[in-house]
Amino acid sequence: GLFVAGFFKYQPIAVLTSSMVPTFTRGDVVVINKLSDVEKSELKKGDIIQYKRKDTMVIHRIIDIVDDNDERGYILQGDNNNSEDPFIVYDNQVVGKEVFSIPKLGYPSVWLSEFLHPNQEVEVEVGR
């Protein structure tokens, strides 16, 4: 229970959308390594990260790293999306980095999320 609740450095996250197909699909569980500030500075192009955007957690791939007013920023895109995310993500928004995924294990969480939030919209593009 403590592992699922995120009390440790690694946390499982259920994938709710298809934006990262074929890397992982809706219903998969992605295990995230929660990053320290030092570890965030080591992120590189190609890494898959989890970040927070308003009230939404998103898992997308870094396609470029930019310097925006002396602040490190990331250009991200879902593997299944036609375009990059429409905003820059900064270190203070980054939660962690993907370590591995387990197919289909997250479906109970997906169903529960759909039941509790049936009309929730996501601000970023979620797949072709």
Side-chain angles (χ1 to χ4, degrees):
L2 294 174
F3 177 63
V4 172
F7 284 100
F8 300 107
K9 183 158 175 66
Y10 296 92
Q11 181 177 14
I13 305 294
V15 176
L16 301 178
T17 72
S18 300
S19 69
M20 286 298 292
V21 169
T23 306
F24 35 82
T25 62
R26 185 174 181 272
D28 290 354
V29 165
V30 176
V31 175
I32 297 293
N33 174 14
K34 294 187 268 184
L35 300 177
S36 67
D37 289 340
V38 171
E39 292 169 317
K40 289 176 186 178
S41 71
E42 298 168 354
L43 288 171
K44 62 189 179 309
K45 197 171 167 179
D47 286 343
I48 297 172
I49 63 170
Q50 179 189 38
Y51 68 94
K52 185 168 184 158
R53 172 93 175 149
K54 298 184 180 178
D55 292 330
T56 303
M57 297 299 264
V58 180
I59 301 174
H60 278 173
R61 186 179 304 277
I62 297 173
I63 61 169
D64 202 4
I65 299 173
V66 297
D67 180 13
D68 186 35
N69 295 322
D70 293 327
E71 193 171 357
R72 183 177 164 103
Y74 305 97
I75 308 297
L76 301 167
Q77 182 173 343
D79 291 354
N80 193 31
N81 292 351
N82 291 324
S83 59
E84 63 192 36
D85 295 354
F87 41 77
I88 296 174
V89 172
Y90 299 98
D91 278 336
N92 65 339
Q93 295 172 269
V94 174
V95 175
K97 178 180 170 183
E98 178 256 353
V99 180
F100 64 90
S101 64
I102 304 168
K104 312 288 184 232
L105 189 62
Y107 265 111
S109 293
V110 170
W111 295 325
L112 181 60
S113 178
E114 288 175 347
F115 177 75
L116 295 175
H117 311 285
N119 297 317
Q120 184 177 18
E121 291 185 25
V122 179
E123 187 176 329
V124 294
E125 184 181 357
V126 292
R128 292 185 193 126

